[in-house]
Amino acid sequence: MNPLGLLWILWAAYLVVMRYGFGKKAKGLMTAAGVIVVLMVAVYLYRMYCFFPGEPPISYTSGSLAERLIPGYRKWILGLVRMLQG
């Protein structure tokens, strides 16, 4: 979970407000999207370098909300983890 994901929500809200609230074309959307992508990649690389050399970036938590709500989730996700591990 990238903490900058909230920026996409703000970006979309700006687009909607400008387009449907003011009836104007929103300016700088592609530039803003590019900046958000670059920042998200930078945060991802920083976190991979600093936090995950000694611990896995993805781990399965038994009894999670997804496991309780989605039938067959546990079997599917554990199979996926085994496949990715080789």
Side-chain angles (χ1 to χ4, degrees), residues 8 10-16 18-19 24-36:
W8 286 114
L10 296 174
W11 180 86
Y14 172 72
L15 171 67
V16 169
M18 290 303 290
R19 170 86 186 221
K24 298 180 181 180
K25 184 177 179 181
K27 296 181 182 179
L29 285 178
M30 294 309 290
T31 302
V35 169
I36 293 170

Side-chain angles (χ1 to χ4, degrees), residues 60 73-86:
Y60 180 73
Y73 177 80
R74 178 182 172 86
K75 182 178 179 182
W76 176 78
I77 200 73
L78 291 177
L80 181 64
V81 168
R82 278 192 287 277
M83 180 186 74
L84 291 173
Q85 289 176 341

Side-chain angles (χ1 to χ4, degrees), residues 1 9 65 75:
M1 293 187 42
I9 296 169
L65 180 62
K75 182 178 179 182

